């Protein structure tokens, strides 16, 4: 009995560490905007999209990455850690969506958080991830999202339109279908969502 209780406690702690809550940091407007296609998905209507922080810094491979260099493209920014089981589960879907939407002008990038470089590099090798990921061992980059991505929300993804505004966010594991539909719609827009309101 004690062993079973210990297993339940360990499982609960693991789930808490991966932070898949769908309500943390959501305003009433964001909740109302969320369609039912995927739990944890919030879409921001055109004209009411918040400005995304233009992150820059070192990647897990030691290169420099600046999201400002990708302005004019649709950007998918995925928060992940090699220690996170849902991150491992979604990695093949992210790779597939990245490969299939590149010709549409979509670019993927990651934020590797609370991880070490060796484990992160092994993760990318194992799943064939070729897009760059920021090093964010202490979660400082996530602070730039002003709570739109809770610090505990790993995995999570933000989709940024061509004008540098957040068009959608996904708290928790995403899927190929959700990602590809979102980015294809955004890639087809002539311009992004306009100014914040």
């Amino acid at each position: 009995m004690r062993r079973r209780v210990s297993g339940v406690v360990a499982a609960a702690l693991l789930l808490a560490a991966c932070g898949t809550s769908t309500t943390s940091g959501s305003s009433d407007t964001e909740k109302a905007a969320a369609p039912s296609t995927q739990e944890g998905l919030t879409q921001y209507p055109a004209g009411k999209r918040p400005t995304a922080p233009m992150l820059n810094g070192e990647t897990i491979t030691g290169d420099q990455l600046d999201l400002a260099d990708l302005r004019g493209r649709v950007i998918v920014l995925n928060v992940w850690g090699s220690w996170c089981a849902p991150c491992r589960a979604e990695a093949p879907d992210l790779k597939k969506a990245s490969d299939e939407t590149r010709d549409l002008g979509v670019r993927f990038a990651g934020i590797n958080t609370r991880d070490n470089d060796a484990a992160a590099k092994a993760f990318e090798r194992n799943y064939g991830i070729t897009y760059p990921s920021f090093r964010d061992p202490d979660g400082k980059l996530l602070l730039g999202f002003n709570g739109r991505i809770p610090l505990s929300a790993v995995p999570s993804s933000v989709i940024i339109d061509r004008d540098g505004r957040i068009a959608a966010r996904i708290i928790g594991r995403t899927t190929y279908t959700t990602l590809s539909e979102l980015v294809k719609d955004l890639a087809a827009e002539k311009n992004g969502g306009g100014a914040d309101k």
Side-chain angles (χ1 to χ4, degrees):
M1 179 72 170
R2 180 179 288 169
R3 189 174 288 166
R4 191 178 330 166
V5 170
S6 296
V8 170
V9 171
L13 289 172
L14 180 61
L15 287 174
C18 285
T20 56
S21 168
T22 61
T23 57
S24 180
S26 296
S27 69
D28 290 338
T29 302
E30 291 168 341
K31 290 174 189 172
S36 59
T37 54
Q38 179 179 332
E39 186 176 354
L41 170 63
T42 301
Q43 288 183 273
Y44 298 90
K48 297 190 177 183
R49 295 175 183 164
T51 300
M54 284 292 108
L55 307 179
N56 63 77
E58 187 179 3
T59 68
I60 62 173
T61 58
D63 297 321
Q64 291 296 309
L65 177 61
D66 189 341
L67 290 189
D69 293 339
L70 300 178
R71 191 72 179 262
R73 298 182 183 275
V74 174
I75 303 168
V76 177
L77 192 60
N78 176 254
V79 181
W80 63 279
S82 65
W83 45 267
C84 173
C87 299
R88 293 191 293 272
E90 74 176 1
D93 288 350
L94 286 159
K95 176 181 169 35
K96 183 177 180 184
S98 173
D99 290 347
E100 291 186 2
T101 60
R102 187 167 180 82
D103 289 345
L104 299 176
V106 178
R107 295 296 180 265
F108 280 59
I111 299 178
N112 177 246
T113 190
R114 301 196 304 272
D115 213 344
N116 68 70
D117 292 346
K121 289 175 189 175
F123 178 98
E124 290 194 334
R125 277 194 308 273
N126 290 341
Y127 292 102
I129 303 296
T130 56
Y131 52 81
S133 284
F134 289 105
R135 290 181 77 248
D136 192 28
D138 51 11
K140 285 183 180 175
L141 290 178
L142 294 181
L143 293 175
F145 285 92
N146 295 323
R148 291 189 194 282
I149 303 177
L151 289 176
S152 63
V154 182
S156 59
S157 299
V158 173
I159 296 91
I160 302 169
D161 70 18
R162 295 181 188 277
D163 290 338
R165 300 183 182 277
I166 299 173
R169 74 167 187 188
I170 303 163
I171 304 297
R173 178 183 170 186
T174 190
T175 66
Y176 165 78
T177 301
T178 297
L179 277 178
S180 61
E181 287 175 359
L182 286 169
V183 298
K184 285 175 184 176
D185 287 347
L186 283 175
E189 287 183 354
K190 291 190 177 179
N191 55 36
D196 298 68
K197 292 188 179 178

